[in-house]
Amino acid sequence: MIYRNGGPRMRGVSQYPDGSQSSTGAKGPAAPSVMPGGTIPIPTQPVDMGKSQETKRREEIMVLVILSILVVALSVGAFIAVNILRQFSGSIFTQVEKSGISVSDLKSLGKFRQLRVGGRLAAGLLLAIAFLSRGVTTLLYAIVWGAFDLVTVLVTISFIRNSAKKKPANALEVVAVIVGLFAALVTIYMPIEIYTHFRDSSYWIPGTDNYLSLWVMLPTIIWGIYLLIYFICSVIYTLEKHRNTVTEPGTGGVS
């Protein structure tokens, strides 16, 4: 007897083009064979594929913003202290004179050790004398902002090096780097002023006419304006995000 398709057909068994058979007669691919006690292999994506597409936040900008808040707060506090102490400079200088030190001798740092008061009163006098001396106040500003400028440079280097690895920077993050570099450039005025007036005794002697020049306060003003804009944008972003979580029309639930 001659059979079509080159061979006999078994009743109730269908043969697939790839040679697999099914006793039900339904056509389809052959089921993978599973050994007793074994596991079924499931195709997955490479582990590193998701990591390569992962976006990361720019933590260095957040660190810069947090430190700028601290430095601006210290600078504003020092500015307020200078203006308040000017109103009470008379009683401060009277206390210094009672300690046996002439106010005109305070240009020498060694004279501070001759103060015949101790405890909190001595600490308060030293702080008051420092903020009533334009030279000492400017020196304190130069130290604080100099340390912050160093952080700004390190953050800028990290910002450039990690541009290809992290989330694309938004406008506020780019502006933060620009503001930091500009403030660092302006801060150069402080050591220049100290170097110019270093030999001037009136520059170091505390007095009621102590003031901070605009150039000394300019980094504080620049960062203060940026932090104000940053705060406003953060509030707007938070409100917008909250609005997007409100119930969608017709859903009857929270998205």
Side-chain angles (χ1 to χ4, degrees):
M1 182 181 294
I2 300 174
Y3 297 94
R4 293 182 180 180
N5 298 331
R9 294 184 179 179
M10 297 180 65
R11 182 178 297 179
V13 178
S14 61
Q15 188 173 5
Y16 299 140
D18 59 356
S20 61
Q21 296 180 346
S22 174
S23 60
T24 60
K27 294 182 180 181
S33 59
V34 182
M35 297 298 293
T39 57
I40 301 176
I42 302 175
T44 57
Q45 294 181 348
V47 178
D48 296 336
M49 182 177 296
K51 292 183 179 181
S52 63
Q53 297 177 356
E54 183 182 358
T55 58
K56 297 181 180 179
R57 297 177 61 86
R58 293 185 172 272
E59 294 85 357
E60 64 272 15
I61 301 299
M62 186 58 62
V63 171
L64 185 65
V65 172
I66 294 175
L67 288 179
S68 67
I69 295 174
L70 178 61
V71 175
V72 169
L74 291 175
S75 299
V76 172
F79 178 79
I80 295 175
V82 168
N83 288 274
I84 292 178
L85 289 173
R86 288 175 59 182
Q87 308 300 323
F88 300 95
S89 58
S91 59
I92 294 173
F93 293 146
T94 300
Q95 185 66 40
V96 172
E97 294 285 350
K98 290 182 179 179
S99 300
I101 301 175
S102 175
V103 176
S104 61
D105 293 335
L106 291 178
K107 62 181 179 180
S108 175
L109 297 179
K111 293 293 183 180
F112 286 103
R113 292 179 296 182
Q114 299 181 10
L115 287 174
R116 298 175 184 176
V117 291
R120 297 181 179 179
L121 181 57
L125 282 176
L126 291 176
L127 186 62
I129 292 171
F131 284 118
L132 287 173
S133 169
R134 181 181 175 184
V136 176
T137 308
T138 306
L139 180 61
L140 294 176
Y141 268 77
I143 294 174
V144 173
W145 280 103
F148 181 75
D149 293 341
L150 179 60
V151 175
T152 302
V153 172
L154 295 177
V155 168
T156 303
I157 296 175
S158 177
F159 180 85
I160 296 174
R161 292 181 59 183
N162 298 332
S163 295
K165 302 178 183 179
K166 293 191 176 183
K167 181 180 178 180
N170 56 36
L172 283 176
E173 293 172 339
V174 175
V175 173
V177 175
I178 296 175
V179 169
L181 294 177
F182 182 71
L185 181 63
V186 175
T187 309
I188 299 177
Y189 173 82
M190 299 181 191
I192 293 178
E193 177 184 307
I194 295 173
Y195 176 79
T196 304
H197 299 84
F198 186 79
R199 297 181 179 277
D200 186 4
S201 59
S202 61
Y203 184 71
W204 300 99
I205 296 177
T208 57
D209 58 345
N210 179 34
Y211 68 95
L212 295 173
S213 64
L214 176 63
W215 285 98
V216 174
M217 293 299 300
L218 193 56
T220 306
I221 297 173
I222 295 173
W223 269 109
I225 295 174
Y226 171 80
L227 292 176
L228 179 61
I229 297 174
Y230 185 88
F231 175 76
I232 294 175
C233 293
S234 298
V235 171
I236 295 175
Y237 173 77
T238 303
L239 294 177
E240 187 67 22
K241 186 177 180 180
H242 177 72
R243 183 185 305 173
N244 293 335
T245 58
V246 176
T247 306
E248 296 181 359
T251 59
V254 179
S255 59

